[in-house]
Amino acid sequence: MFIMKIYDELVARGLIAQVTNEKEIKEIINSGNATFYIGFDPTADSLHVGHFMALCLMKRLQMAGNKPVVLLGGGTGYIGDPSGRTDLRSMMSPEIIQQNCNCFKQQMERFIEFGEDKAIMVNNADWLLELDYIELLRDVGHCFSVNNMLRAECYKQRKEKGLSFLEFNYMIMQSYDFYHLYRNYGCNMQFGGDDQWSNMLAGTELIRRKLGEDAYAMTITLLMNSAGNKMGKTAKGAVWLDPNKTSPLEFFQYWRNIGDADVLKCIRMLTFLPLEQIDAMDEWKGRQLNEAKKILAYELTKLVHGEEEARKAAL
């Protein structure tokens, strides 16, 4: 019986957008030798659907024997990621940043298995807030080309309205995170949303220039609907993972009511149903697509809120 390797499964589920070195990445994660990180900036007091996709990727890779490093952005949260933004993010107080980090931590423990020889959680405030500015400039400043930074996709939209020097530093901070995690935790890969690509490349380049070592980056396909808009938004705002902000019933109904053109893609990308089962749904139409939406809503509500809440929401 043919057993699909994890990298091929990620491809088949449509999860991979860009990779730096496909052959090497494929070999490392298929053999369970990746120590990889995904960063989560604490921009709110709950994770949302966009984060959920990254957590699912983490879970898949952990199940294949790889070691996740969850990076809470307690330090980068002081700056704010300009990627995909047309305006400056609101500045948060240190107290709000810490409170949001605590909320993220509690929610993540539902998805990822933490513990000795399992996943670890770190907070970049522990090293970024201790950096000396002049020392940092002397240490890594020469590794970054301003010309390359200005061409980066992550700054594109911000340049139209004016890119602040504060935001311009975000790439350096994210790159430094990768460099720090590589040196101190043996973290050889970074995964993230496709809008993070230029930041992630900068991190691999910093490691190469400072340490003469290879590190790798892979971006996840952004969760977009057939109209080209980011999914996980309603008239009320974001679809949150916190049941006090988006109830299990509202969460279920969001997925139950997505467009016909998006349902099978979402089942493939977000659920843990076997690919053979999903492939058999490819020819479904009409009422069958309605059934597929119920399956999607149930599976995702079960993952986020537990089986009992999924059953109640499905009634």
Side-chain angles (χ1 to χ4, degrees):
M1 180 181 171
F2 172 73
I3 300 177
M4 185 179 286
K5 297 278 192 176
I6 182 62
Y7 187 87
D8 295 321
E9 181 179 344
L10 298 180
V11 171
R13 289 184 180 274
L15 289 168
I16 299 178
Q18 301 184 78
V19 294
T20 51
N21 308 75
E22 184 175 42
K23 182 182 176 184
E24 290 87 346
I25 289 173
K26 184 175 182 177
E27 184 177 320
I28 292 169
I29 69 172
N30 280 346
S31 59
N33 289 322
T35 298
F36 68 95
Y37 94 90
I38 298 179
F40 299 83
D41 273 359
T43 52
D45 58 0
S46 172
L47 298 163
H48 54 62
V49 163
H51 297 122
F52 175 64
M53 190 163 175
L55 289 169
C56 286
L57 177 71
M58 254 185 183
K59 187 176 179 71
R60 291 183 208 280
L61 289 165
Q62 184 175 44
M63 289 166 64
N66 299 286
K67 184 176 181 179
V69 177
V70 172
L71 176 66
L72 294 176
T76 39
Y78 277 69
I79 297 176
D81 183 3
S83 301
R85 302 278 299 191
T86 57
D87 57 343
L88 182 68
R89 289 184 186 273
S90 300
M91 298 287 281
M92 297 182 292
S93 70
E95 292 76 23
I96 293 294
I97 290 171
Q98 185 57 53
Q99 178 189 338
N100 291 351
C101 282
N102 294 340
C103 293
F104 276 24
K105 184 175 184 293
Q106 289 178 349
Q107 291 178 332
M108 286 171 177
E109 287 170 347
R110 288 184 58 91
F111 297 94
I112 308 300
E113 197 173 353
F114 293 96
E116 193 173 343
D117 296 325
K118 293 175 183 172
I120 61 170
M121 185 178 290
V122 295
N123 188 328
N124 61 17
D126 292 342
W127 56 88
L128 292 182
L129 298 187
E130 301 300 318
L131 290 174
D132 177 271
Y133 186 60
I134 298 299
E135 189 178 318
L136 176 69
L137 288 178
R138 287 174 59 86
D139 186 25
V140 304
H142 65 283
C143 297
F144 292 86
S145 160
V146 171
N147 290 345
N148 288 341
M149 291 174 74
L150 287 172
R151 285 193 292 268
E153 191 67 29
C154 61
Y155 294 139
K156 201 170 187 177
Q157 287 180 280
R158 290 297 296 119
K159 281 193 291 185
E160 294 172 8
K161 291 195 174 181
L163 176 69
S164 71
F165 184 69
L166 176 74
E167 297 167 297
F168 193 58
N169 278 270
Y170 192 89
M171 181 184 288
I172 298 172
M173 296 295 96
Q174 184 169 333
S175 301
Y176 194 90
D177 283 343
F178 199 178
Y179 172 58
H180 178 91
L181 294 174
Y182 186 95
R183 283 194 308 165
N184 293 279
Y185 296 92
C187 186
N188 53 5
M189 288 190 193
Q190 180 183 179
F191 297 151
D194 202 35
D195 53 358
Q196 294 292 313
W197 180 240
S198 47
N199 289 339
M200 293 161 71
L201 288 181
T204 63
E205 179 65 7
L206 179 60
I207 291 166
R208 186 189 67 78
R209 296 191 64 171
K210 289 292 294 178
L211 303 174
E213 302 284 347
D214 290 326
Y216 307 98
M218 183 182 95
T219 59
I220 316 162
T221 308
L222 295 176
L223 192 60
M224 313 285 279
N225 63 21
S226 53
N229 300 315
K230 275 190 179 181
M231 298 185 73
K233 301 276 186 183
T234 69
K236 295 181 180 178
V239 178
W240 303 100
L241 306 193
D242 182 344
N244 295 315
K245 291 169 78 74
T246 299
S247 72
L249 179 58
E250 290 173 320
F251 186 86
F252 182 95
Q253 288 297 329
Y254 173 79
W255 299 107
R256 175 70 182 80
N257 293 314
I258 66 168
D260 289 358
D262 301 316
V263 59
L264 291 178
K265 175 182 72 177
C266 289
I267 288 177
R268 192 168 267 110
M269 294 173 81
L270 296 173
T271 77
F272 287 80
L273 295 175
L275 280 168
E276 297 81 6
Q277 182 180 344
I278 300 168
D279 290 342
M281 299 179 187
D282 280 339
E283 302 303 316
W284 284 16
K285 294 176 183 176
R287 289 184 178 179
Q288 288 178 307
L289 280 180
N290 198 43
E291 187 60 34
K293 292 178 190 181
K294 293 178 185 176
I295 292 170
L296 172 67
Y298 183 84
E299 290 296 323
L300 297 191
T301 307
K302 182 173 72 171
L303 279 170
V304 174
H305 297 294
E307 194 158 8
E308 184 180 346
E309 291 294 344
R311 279 201 301 266
K312 285 194 289 187
L315 292 175

